[in-house]
Amino acid sequence: MHVNRFLALPLGLLLTATASASGAPPAPSASPPSATAPPPVPAPVPAIARSWPVGTRPAVLRGWEPPATPYARGHRGVDLAAPAGAPVRAVAAGRVLFAGRVAGRGVVSLELTGTGTPPLRTTYEPVAPSVTEGDEITPAQPVGTLSPTASHCPTACLHWGLRRGETYLNPLSLLPARLSAKAPSRLLPVQGVPLP
């Protein structure tokens, strides 16, 4: 009958109670109750993009500015210059999680294939979607067209975002060097001009 009263006690209290009854000193606890595990290290972002979401090498009007805390100010994506009506493409293969309006703007959100757990999600706005939720998307496939808006950028632009779970990441990190680096200057042969 004395065992029943110990079944409801946590193991640490049970060891302490047992040690006290026997006169032995209590066993040290494995970790203090207030200790918390460190946050998990996010998986690296693979450079899997096959194309830019708009244009070939669009100007970055505003870069990624991660917030200091989850609710602090910052810029949780990048703004890419593009004309209104420009096709917006998926940068990598994935599945459409959302295609619709949020706060009056068209948004397309894709879960990128083979990017770990939780998977990477990329968003594009303001977009007039040409895809629907659940569609499987191939790299460089158009997902909509850029909508005109004057609220986010001084000129038309695409806001491109990237998240893993609740953590915002720099979408430019999806771009491999061949897409993100500026091409080096190359000298081409001059033809049809006599040598001096």
Side-chain angles (χ1 to χ4, degrees), residues 64-65 67 69-78 159-162 168:
W64 183 63
E65 299 162 16
T69 64
Y71 301 104
R73 298 183 102 185
H75 193 237
R76 294 163 172 85
V78 296
H159 180 82
W160 177 30
L162 178 67
Y168 288 89

Side-chain angles (χ1 to χ4, degrees), residues 54-162:
V54 287
T56 347
R57 273 194 173 81
V60 177
L61 300 176
R62 185 175 176 191
W64 183 63
E65 299 162 16
T69 64
Y71 301 104
R73 298 183 102 185
H75 193 237
R76 294 163 172 85
V78 296
D79 295 335
L80 305 176
V88 177
R89 299 179 302 271
V91 296
R95 181 176 55 87
V96 178
L97 290 177
F98 179 81
R101 297 189 76 70
V102 175
R105 284 183 283 206
V107 176
V108 173
S109 179
L110 304 177
E111 180 179 279
L112 302 182
T113 305
T115 55
T117 304
L120 292 171
R121 289 179 291 163
T122 186
T123 57
Y124 312 90
E125 67 174 279
V127 174
S130 60
V131 293
T132 57
E133 188 177 323
D135 286 353
E136 293 294 329
I137 304 298
T138 57
Q141 178 180 336
V143 294
T145 56
L146 186 62
S147 300
T149 182
S151 63
H152 194 73
C153 299
T155 61
C157 74
L158 175 76
H159 180 82
W160 177 30
L162 178 67

